[in-house]
Amino acid sequence: MKQHAELEDFWERRLGADWTESGVGYQRLGLAFNTWMYRVRGEVFRREVGALGLDLSSSRVLDVGSGTGFYLRQWRALGAKSVTGSDLTAAAVGRLRERFPHTEILRPDIAAPGGTLEPGSFDAVSAMDMLFHITDDARYRAALRSIARALRPGGAFVLSENFLHRPEQRGDHQVNHTLTWITGALGEAGFDVVRRTPMLVLMNAQVDANPVWRKLWGGLLRAVTLTETTGEIAGGLLALAERRLVRVLRESPTTELMICRRR
């Protein structure tokens, strides 16, 4: 519980100070670059969710870990009838309620035992770039069970993760699990994997790449984003490449999007 409290405090401070795409993204690369990065994320999200065949005009959707509300906007753009946001931090929830006054914004601890969401109350749930911030494995699995309970049978679960083929990587505020571990946890929670696709390729930390390449590319990204002006230019140029890469590659050394169905 101490670890959880420390993690929650970290995100309260971070989002309280920087409630932008930079605050919820790769903060060291600045706002301009992260804004480009999120444009690519949004395009992949809308393409993949739009191909699911969901009747979103009659669907209830929950976004877990809404942050700045980026994916609330994506669901709205796709035509979802009802979109509910949620976040663990007061810093995000208060601002989300101001930014989206006609949207219900909850503050559940999705990883708490038992859960607080009404069973089977949603047709689709998204959890984008948030599960790897649950650094306790038992709480990670509990979060998946809570999401499964909140979904109706056959409902869609959309998540983004790093899905490592290389060994697991643990840090104070993030754990990158292996693809095998994550799919196993999803299966235990009652999900079947439908598909997995790159969400980014070059515009984020190369966590599943050769360590030498990871270090070199990370250094280059930081160098070309030293100012917001250079970050804007670098982001725009890399986004052109990303839009092609996320369509032609089957896997990525960084963020991937996975779609699951609840049994």
Side-chain angles (χ1 to χ4, degrees):
M1 293 301 295
K2 179 181 178 183
Q3 184 183 44
H4 167 63
E6 290 173 349
L7 189 64
E8 183 177 351
D9 181 63
F10 168 80
W11 284 104
E12 287 285 8
R13 287 184 282 107
R14 177 160 166 166
L15 293 180
D18 184 5
W19 196 59
T20 69
E21 280 78 4
S22 173
V24 296
Y26 194 162
Q27 195 170 39
R28 294 181 66 179
L29 303 185
L31 177 58
F33 188 89
N34 274 279
T35 299
W36 276 108
M37 185 194 298
Y38 269 86
R39 287 173 185 163
V40 176
R41 291 177 186 267
E43 291 166 9
V44 175
F45 182 90
R46 293 192 302 274
R47 183 190 76 213
E48 293 298 316
V49 174
L52 275 174
L54 295 173
D55 181 9
L56 288 172
S57 65
S58 61
S59 295
R60 291 194 65 201
V61 174
L62 170 68
D63 181 55
V64 180
S66 297
T68 62
F70 180 83
Y71 291 100
L72 298 179
R73 293 194 296 271
Q74 306 312 308
W75 283 113
R76 290 292 189 196
L78 286 164
K81 174 186 177 182
S82 170
V83 182
T84 299
S86 69
D87 204 275
L88 180 63
T89 66
V93 167
R95 292 176 177 181
L96 285 167
R97 287 171 177 166
E98 292 178 1
R99 177 173 284 181
F100 302 94
H102 304 297
T103 298
E104 183 179 19
I105 306 295
L106 307 176
R107 194 188 172 191
D109 181 355
I110 200 70
T116 58
L117 299 171
E118 181 184 349
S121 54
F122 295 98
D123 302 291
V125 175
S126 55
M128 310 302 294
D129 280 8
M130 60 79 55
L131 288 168
F132 50 48
H133 292 303
I134 303 175
T135 56
D136 180 279
D137 290 354
R139 287 178 56 80
Y140 189 112
R141 293 177 185 272
L144 293 182
R145 292 193 297 270
S146 293
I147 290 167
R149 280 195 300 270
L151 270 170
R152 63 166 176 80
F157 177 34
V158 186
L159 66 151
S160 59
E161 258 278 10
N162 288 314
F163 302 109
L164 299 187
H165 295 284
R166 291 176 175 273
E168 180 183 273
Q169 301 163 6
R170 287 190 172 268
D172 292 338
H173 306 121
Q174 181 169 325
V175 174
N176 296 320
H177 290 290
T178 65
L179 172 63
T180 300
W181 190 93
I182 296 169
T183 54
L186 285 164
E188 291 173 5
F191 290 107
D192 292 321
V193 176
V194 176
R195 64 177 176 271
R196 175 172 55 93
T197 190
M199 195 167 203
L200 296 168
V201 178
L202 296 174
M203 296 186 77
N204 207 355
Q206 307 287 282
V207 294
D208 203 22
N210 178 286
V212 175
W213 168 252
R214 178 180 179 179
K215 186 173 182 180
L216 287 173
W217 187 251
L220 178 61
L221 283 181
R222 290 189 291 274
V224 299
T225 56
L226 284 175
T227 70
E228 288 297 302
T229 299
T230 60
E232 174 71 24
I233 295 169
L237 292 173
L238 276 176
L240 293 173
E242 287 285 59
R243 288 174 172 131
R244 174 65 176 167
L245 291 172
V246 296
R247 287 182 175 273
V248 301
L249 295 181
R250 295 183 63 185
E251 293 192 320
S252 165
T254 185
T255 312
E256 294 177 319
L257 180 145
M258 178 180 277
I259 293 175
C260 303
R261 290 278 188 182
R262 187 196 164 202
R263 299 186 200 115

